[in-house]
Amino acid sequence: MPDVRRVIVLGSTGSIGTQTLEVIAHLNALHERGRWSTRYDVVGLAAGSNTDLLAAQAARFGVQRTCHVQRQPSDSPARGGTLTVTPVGCEAEELVRSTECDIVVAAISGMAGLAATLAAVELGRTVALANKETLVAAGALVTGAARRCGARLLPVDSEHSGLWQCLGIAAPPPLSIGPEVAHVTLTASGGPFRTWPASKMATATVADALKHPTWSMGRKVTIDSATLMNKALEVIEAHWLFGLGADRIRVLIHPQSIVHASVHFADGSSVSQMGAPDMRTPIQLALTWPRRAAGCAAVLNPSTTLEFEEPDTERFPALGLAYRALADGGAAGATLNAANEVAVDAFLSGRVPFTRIAELVRFAMDNTAPRPADSLSEILAADHAARRLVREKL
Ligand code: MG
């Protein structure tokens, strides 16, 4: 019986998607040479605007089922987008529901990935989760469905992969970590503005914000890294993946991006996970779990000096908003996420200065009454309301 894992990659033309296909090609090359027992068959691809690359990927990996997700205008609720048929077309959600597979790599960025990710979870698939917005907006719904349907949520985000590795990867998330863990630390590079004074940050250009010092990533996550909103989203993501209260999740600035996360146990011992800042490492672990194969990513340079500092929550107010969203509960995460998506869009298109991004998110949270987040429709309603609020303000 050949050991084959069938994989769907949602968001295949983005940064995580292209690196996922690179890792799959690498693992299949190991398999060909008898050095890895599993072969990976790509059985579905979904992507947005880059249809040429999508077609090239489908041809290279022999994929029969692809779908082209049209992004909706960002002030309307995103539910996978409308459909363009190429060549067996369907929405990303429909692709997931209609294609037998073992692993779904959820790498569509933003709320547009929620419906398809939730579908994979409801089908009990193993989900390699790169879309943090899914958990930020719909953490209770997605982790509840994962527990009910027996789906595994294997973190692809480097910090959460790091936490998982510190805890021991035998059990897959979602987990409920007990009192043996005092708290955990997620590291943040600090982004390109780590040492900029507040006055200079107000004049930062899009090009400045896209110059990330250590990681090479998509535009949305790179801007989120510059505001530290990325770390804010990751605090909420850690809450849902590992069942940790906000008081047990801390953030440290670590400019070298070598230590990705630490677990501090109740007895005083701490375990940290290290690796070169290369997303192919956490992507590969999600694909090979529970085993490990020879990697294709950059190798850690052990002579690097490691620095750590407390985050400046005055210059980077986004971080505080994550803790507030966790305290508020309900749909506060959906509100935060949607407001941020619109605000980042506005910054990227030159409509607002950099420091306005976090202000707009705070404005949306200040002006939204508590809302429930028990169903997809409630979450999409909260998402829609926050987008409209920020658009009106712009
Ligand atoms: Mg991360």
Side-chain angles (χ1 to χ4, degrees):
M1 183 82 172
D3 178 6
V4 176
R5 288 192 190 178
R6 298 160 300 175
V7 185
I8 292 175
V9 183
L10 304 175
S12 65
T13 59
S15 175
I16 296 292
T18 52
Q19 292 182 83
T20 297
L21 292 175
E22 212 182 303
V23 170
I24 286 174
H26 157 75
L27 291 170
N28 283 344
L30 287 183
H31 176 78
E32 294 269 302
R33 284 180 275 151
R35 289 176 53 204
W36 182 244
S37 60
T38 306
R39 193 185 78 223
Y40 296 82
D41 279 357
V42 183
V43 294
L45 295 171
S49 54
N50 197 341
T51 46
D52 289 347
L53 181 55
L54 177 62
Q57 290 174 336
R60 179 178 173 200
F61 288 89
V63 185
Q64 301 296 317
R65 302 178 65 80
T66 65
C67 96
H68 174 204
V69 182
Q70 291 277 35
R71 296 267 170 177
Q72 294 184 341
S74 55
D75 58 347
S76 65
R79 200 170 191 277
T82 52
L83 173 69
T84 304
V85 178
T86 54
V88 180
C90 51
E91 284 189 58
E93 179 186 353
E94 193 43 46
L95 177 78
V96 168
R97 290 202 185 279
S98 63
T99 309
E100 277 294 320
C101 77
D102 303 295
I103 303 174
V104 174
V105 179
I108 293 176
S109 137
M111 269 296 272
L114 173 58
T117 305
L118 189 59
V121 167
E122 286 169 353
L123 289 164
R125 306 289 194 231
T126 292
V127 178
L129 190 66
N131 175 304
K132 66 194 77 183
E133 291 91 343
T134 291
L135 287 181
V136 171
L141 187 68
V142 171
T143 54
R147 289 192 165 91
R148 201 174 62 246
C149 306
R152 301 166 173 130
L153 300 174
L154 307 188
V156 168
D157 212 342
S158 58
E159 296 79 1
H160 305 77
S161 178
L163 283 183
W164 185 37
Q165 292 177 67
C166 292
L167 293 161
I169 57 172
L175 297 167
S176 294
I177 296 174
E180 70 276 12
V181 170
H183 70 275
V184 303
T185 301
L186 306 174
T187 64
S189 71
F193 306 138
R194 181 174 60 89
T195 59
W196 286 34
S199 56
K200 195 177 169 197
M201 283 171 68
T203 65
T205 65
V206 171
D208 292 331
L210 287 175
K211 254 181 245 146
H212 196 276
T214 49
W215 292 97
S216 161
M217 307 175 290
R219 281 161 70 87
K220 161 76 167 44
V221 63
T222 303
I223 301 301
D224 284 345
S225 295
T227 56
L228 288 201
M229 183 58 85
N230 183 52
K231 212 52 50 181
L233 301 178
E234 290 181 357
V235 166
I236 301 174
E237 184 185 9
H239 164 75
W240 290 113
L241 280 176
F242 301 105
L244 292 164
D247 59 329
R248 289 206 287 166
I249 308 170
R250 298 182 191 172
V251 171
L252 267 186
I253 303 296
H254 168 47
Q256 292 78 26
S257 302
I258 297 292
V259 175
H260 304 307
S262 305
V263 172
H264 310 278
F265 292 94
D267 61 7
S269 181
S270 293
V271 176
S272 296
Q273 187 268 337
M274 297 195 287
D278 190 321
M279 288 308 297
R280 290 172 298 182
T281 307
I283 291 168
Q284 179 167 312
L285 180 61
L287 293 172
T288 62
W289 180 82
R291 296 179 297 151
R292 290 180 188 265
C296 61
V299 176
L300 182 64
N301 172 6
S303 66
T304 310
T305 303
L306 304 179
E307 301 165 287
F308 300 91
E309 62 196 42
E310 291 290 333
D312 179 344
T313 51
E314 299 279 315
R315 281 188 305 128
F316 297 100
L319 210 46
L321 297 176
Y323 289 95
R324 178 174 157 192
L326 284 176
D328 289 354
T335 301
L336 173 143
N337 177 65
N340 182 57
E341 286 192 23
V342 177
V344 169
D345 267 355
F347 170 68
L348 282 171
S349 59
R351 280 177 290 154
V352 298
F354 178 77
T355 43
R356 192 94 177 100
I357 298 173
E359 288 170 14
L360 286 166
V361 176
R362 186 194 305 277
F363 166 80
M365 294 179 77
D366 285 348
N367 289 282
T368 302
R371 309 174 66 113
D374 303 320
S375 67
L376 187 57
S377 59
E378 285 172 343
I379 289 157
L380 292 174
D383 176 271
H384 184 58
R387 283 172 200 272
R388 200 171 41 214
L389 205 54
V390 176
R391 285 221 169 281
E392 283 166 9
K393 184 78 178 165
L394 279 170

